[in-house]
């Protein structure tokens, strides 16, 4: 076949996105500017500003319906005090919102079982408050581990902790534990039904939406070419492509896999993947923006994923070819966009031809995912331990201080720690505290009115919907609506004087926020920063394997190996950026992490260029000596990063057909030397300050003796 994407085979002919001959890749001496280093700060814009993206209307409506229905059913069947458990169980609707329905059905059932288990644990531990605090911490740690290891979508562990905490105050003893679990199961079942309600009407909407989002991010990448934000948008586009692959893979059930509709979706997925890599080549060789028409065309392809009649006309790209060499990278990009439109405008795709086979399983093996999450280099293990220990400590501290409703402290600590690093945790603590103050005022007014029970149900469901509508844009506004919802549910489960409830809720939130911040500061606060060098090494190692495979004229890369090389390298690149974004919020190690931004950029660019070279069916090879020298260059860069020293790279071999790989390797070597020099300078300054402090202390002791 021609250029292959993340899939493909060599049977027949079809809409394969590639010319069969290598594209001439002209040398260039121009390197794109590095994007500004990402910054995480504790300021007003971070606390009150709205993140980019849309409002989650669908999730808000589903959450409102699920809570209202489950609360009402449990109220009619059982009673108001334990109906809260059903309302909390309905929060299964908040999970797996983007995954295909076939996968979602099973995943939500597992989430529901997790809620039932959390309720059972909380009910069993309710006999002893100290044991209840430890049980809530254990649920927080285990839920964090499982959610991250199994890639469960947000909101993560927080609602497992909430249902466990509320179950500790539900009326009854050990004999009522099965009943409490059953009530939570009713709510979980309602959430499952509401979340799956779209399956009969739009059975393939999640997959279409994921591929369309990949095209939209591709359009943003085309707009970012020649601008200072290129490196950031490149990461977002790669993230969207990887997510589209994951969603489409999850949808590949046996009955759907062989249909023309599935074949069309796989073809579009392959197109967006290959166009992304072509755009990467263009972005790193061009310092001027592309015509806006190219990005608009990609937006049109996004609309055409679900509605072929909206596909743009390929003729609109004809004017972009003027003045360009026939084999230039830009022409190659426009040709791929045009041919992708030819595939997108057809409602179905023949289940034959190239690139229609997916060389992967629907999801990784369960035990492999759990095992890798516990490895020494995984961030999941310290994150889960930090969560479990801090939440348990928060509850125990609350009990030691005499707080009757200690579980609110545990819930607040859980919510705060979901920020990740220290800076984000401080921001979430502030947002949680301020949002709770406003939310308590709202809840106090509502509870003072003494609303009838049906009005409580409607109001709590409304606040749940408002929370889900805004929480993705800003956690502060989500906390404003979440607090009255939680207080209404808690007051229904265990009535309490309104004035005392408001006061204790504010105090609990402040204490929980402080404990959460202390947990982030004291427990594994350097987890991301300490793992960043190894993550850079992993990307370089995978890039080396790809580049060597591409350059070796005696190696023929089959479609399955090609797919796996691209999948693993893309995953490593996304992990690198994720670890860096987390590391710059680790205090105080962020000071030593910031100088590594040019290293991260050069490493990322090298990886993306390797991916783009891998897309060629018959790439230009290199001599054995050149191959060995390139391999040695990568090995030296990895060794220098591992040993925290300046690389001794020497002269790189000329790669006439891949000049930008050489350019980025040189830039990486230079950035590493600069980072090492800054580390040495920082160490010298710290030694000087330490010596000055010792001198001052010695003089003070002498003066004291005199």
């Amino acid at each position: 076949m021609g250029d292959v994407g993340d899939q493909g085979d060599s049977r027949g002919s079809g809409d394969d996105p590639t010319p069969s001959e290598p594209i001439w890749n002209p040398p260039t001496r121009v390197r794109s500017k590095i994007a500004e280093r990402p910054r995480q700060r504790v300021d007003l814009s971070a606390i009150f500003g709205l993140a980019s993206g849309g409002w989650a209307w669908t999730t808000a409506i589903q959450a409102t319906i699920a809570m209202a229905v489950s609360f009402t059913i449990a109220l009619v069947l059982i009673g108001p005090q334990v109906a809260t458990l059903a309302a909390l169980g309905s929060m299964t609707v908040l999970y797996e919102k983007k995954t295909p329905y076939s996968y979602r059905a099973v995943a939500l059932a597992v989430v529901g079982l997790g809620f039932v288990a959390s309720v059972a644990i909380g009910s069993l531990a309710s006999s002893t408050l100290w044991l209840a605090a430890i049980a809530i911490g254990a649920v927080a740690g285990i839920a964090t581990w499982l959610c991250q290891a199994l890639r469960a979508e947000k909101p993560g562990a927080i609602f497992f902790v909430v249902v466990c905490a509320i179950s500790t105050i539900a009326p009854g003893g050990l004999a009522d534990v099965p009943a409490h679990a059953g009530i939570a199961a009713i709510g979980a079942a309602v959430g499952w039904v509401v979340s799956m309600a779209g399956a009969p009407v739009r059975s393939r909407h999640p997959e279409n939406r994921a591929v369309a989002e990949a095209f939209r991010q591709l359009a943003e990448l085309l707009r970012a070419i020649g601008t200072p934000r290129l490196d950031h948008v490149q990461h977002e586009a790669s993230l969207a492509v990887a997510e589209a692959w994951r969603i489409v893979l999850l949808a590949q059930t046996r009955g759907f896999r062989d249909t023309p509709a599935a074949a069309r979706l796989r073809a579009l997925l392959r197109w967006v993947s290959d166009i992304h890599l072509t755009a990467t080549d263009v972005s790193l060789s061009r310092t001027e923006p592309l015509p806006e028409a190219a990005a608009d065309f990609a937006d049109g392809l996004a609309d055409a994923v679900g509605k072929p009649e909206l596909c743009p006309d390929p003729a609109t790209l004809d004017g972009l070819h003027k003045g360009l060499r026939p084999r230039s990278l830009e022409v190659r990009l426009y040709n791929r966009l045009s041919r992708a439109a030819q595939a997108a405008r057809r409602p179905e795709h023949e289940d034959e031809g190239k690139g229609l086979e997916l060389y992967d399983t629907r999801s990784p093996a369960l035990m492999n995912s759990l095992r890798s999450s516990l490895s020494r280099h995984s961030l999941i293990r310290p994150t889960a331990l930090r969560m479990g220990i801090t939440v348990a400590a928060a509850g125990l501290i609350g009990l030691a201080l005499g707080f009757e409703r200690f579980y609110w402290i545990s819930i607040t600590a859980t919510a705060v720690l979901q920020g990740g690093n220290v800076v984000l945790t401080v921001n979430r603590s502030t947002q949680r505290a301020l949002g709770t103050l406003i939310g308590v005022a709202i809840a106090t007014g509502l509870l003072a009115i003494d609303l009838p029970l049906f009005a409580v149900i409607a109001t709590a469901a409304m606040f749940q919907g408002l929370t889900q509508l805004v929480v993705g844009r800003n956690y502060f506004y989500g906390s404003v609506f979440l607090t009255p919802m939680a207080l209404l549910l808690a007051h229904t489960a265990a009535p309490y004087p309104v004035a005392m409830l408001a006061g204790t809720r504010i105090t609990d939130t402040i204490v929980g926020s402080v404990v959460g911040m202390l947990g982030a500061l004291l427990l594994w606060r350097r987890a991301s920063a300490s793992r960043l060098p190894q993550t850079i090494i992993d990307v370089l190692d995978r890039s080396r394997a790809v580049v060597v495979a591409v350059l070796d004229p005696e190696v023929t890369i089959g479609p399955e190996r090609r797919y796996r090389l691209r999948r693993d390298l893309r995953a490593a690149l996304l992990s690198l950026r994720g670890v860096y974004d987390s590391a710059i919020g680790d205090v105080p190690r962020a000071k030593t992490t910031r100088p590594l931004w040019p290293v991260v950029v050069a490493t990322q660019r090298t990886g993306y260029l390797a991916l783009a070279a891998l897309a060629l069916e018959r790439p230009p090879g290199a001599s054995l000596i050149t191959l060995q020298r390139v391999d040695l260059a990568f090995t030296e860069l990895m060794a220098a990063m591992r040993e925290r020293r300046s690389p001794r790279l020497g002269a790189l071999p000329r790669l006439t057909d891949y000049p930008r790989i050489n350019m980025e390797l040189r830039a990486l070597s230079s950035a590493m030397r600069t980072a090492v020099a800054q580390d040495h300078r920082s160490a010298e300054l710290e030694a000087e300050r330490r010596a000055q402090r010792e001198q001052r202390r010695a003089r003070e002791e002498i003066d004291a003796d005199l």
Side-chain angles (χ1 to χ4, degrees), residues 162 204 215 270 462 570 573 579-580 644 685:
V162 171
R204 300 301 164 188
F215 272 112
R270 178 197 59 197
M462 178 193 69
R570 178 178 280 125
L573 287 165
V579 171
Y580 182 81
R644 308 291 200 277
L685 290 175

Side-chain angles (χ1 to χ4, degrees), residues 91 103 127 158 170 183-184 209 220 255 271 355 404 423 433 471 575 658:
M91 292 181 183
Y103 175 84
S127 58
I158 179 63
I183 295 168
R209 179 176 57 188
E220 292 302 312
W271 276 112
E404 185 175 351
V423 172
V471 71
S575 175
Y658 312 97

Side-chain angles (χ1 to χ4, degrees), residues 169-492:
I169 62 169
L174 294 178
D176 295 303
V177 172
H180 293 167
I183 295 168
I186 292 174
V190 171
W192 187 95
V193 171
V194 172
S195 183
M196 295 294 296
V201 182
R202 302 189 298 174
S203 61
R204 300 301 164 188
H205 176 66
E207 304 95 280
N208 290 335
R209 179 176 57 188
V211 177
E213 180 61 24
F215 272 112
R216 290 193 182 92
Q217 289 296 333
L218 173 63
E220 292 302 312
L221 175 60
L222 297 180
R223 291 189 178 97
I225 292 176
T227 68
R229 58 193 184 96
L230 172 64
D231 294 298
H232 301 311
V233 181
Q234 171 67 268
H235 171 71
E236 295 298 326
S238 188
L239 193 64
V241 171
E243 180 66 6
W245 270 101
R246 185 178 80 92
I247 297 300
V248 172
L249 277 170
L250 290 177
Q252 297 305 298
T253 56
R254 181 168 299 176
F256 176 66
R257 188 183 302 133
D258 301 326
T259 64
R264 175 182 181 270
L265 192 64
R266 290 197 297 269
L268 292 177
L269 176 62
R270 178 197 59 197
W271 276 112
V272 73
S273 182
D274 281 350
I275 294 171
H276 169 242
L277 294 182
T278 306
T280 297
D281 248 343
V282 174
S283 67
L284 297 182
S285 64
R286 183 183 176 100
T287 56
E288 297 179 355
L290 284 175
E292 182 66 22
D296 293 340
F297 194 87
D299 278 327
L301 291 176
D303 297 331
V305 171
K307 298 179 179 179
E309 65 275 11
L310 298 180
C311 184
D313 185 357
T316 59
L317 295 175
D318 292 345
L320 302 182
H321 293 72
K322 294 181 180 179
L324 298 175
R325 294 186 300 273
R327 293 198 173 194
S328 66
L329 294 172
E330 289 84 355
V331 169
R332 181 185 177 194
L333 172 64
Y334 301 149
N335 286 340
R336 290 194 169 189
L337 287 169
S338 177
R339 297 181 67 185
Q342 296 173 14
R345 68 192 320 157
R346 295 186 305 197
E348 294 182 342
H349 194 289
E350 298 81 3
D351 192 25
E352 295 180 358
K354 305 176 182 180
L356 298 181
E357 183 178 350
L358 298 182
Y359 296 99
D360 210 340
T361 57
R362 290 183 65 194
S363 56
L366 178 63
M367 293 309 298
N368 288 342
S369 298
L370 296 178
R371 191 180 302 112
S372 63
S373 68
L374 297 175
S375 66
R376 182 167 57 91
H377 299 299
S378 173
L379 275 175
I380 297 176
R381 183 177 65 178
T383 301
L385 289 173
R386 180 194 302 125
M387 179 69 78
I389 294 172
T390 304
V391 172
L396 295 174
I397 290 173
L399 288 172
L401 294 176
F403 289 92
E404 185 175 351
R405 298 199 169 195
F406 70 93
Y407 51 86
W408 286 119
I409 301 176
S410 301
I411 293 172
T412 300
T414 304
V416 164
L417 283 175
Q418 286 193 302
N421 58 43
V422 175
V423 172
L424 295 181
T425 298
V426 172
N427 281 333
R428 283 178 72 93
S429 297
T430 307
Q431 291 171 327
R432 180 80 176 189
L434 295 177
T436 298
L437 289 174
I438 300 174
V440 165
I442 296 173
T444 302
L446 292 173
L447 292 173
I449 299 174
D450 194 17
L451 296 171
L453 199 53
F454 75 88
V456 172
I457 296 174
T459 305
M462 178 193 69
F463 280 122
Q464 168 73 327
L466 291 173
T467 300
Q468 302 311 315
L469 179 66
V470 303
V471 71
R473 303 288 303 275
N474 187 289
Y475 186 68
F476 163 72
Y477 304 110
S479 297
V480 171
F481 297 121
L482 177 66
T483 300
M485 183 272 290
L487 287 176
L488 288 173
L489 294 181
H491 187 72
T492 304

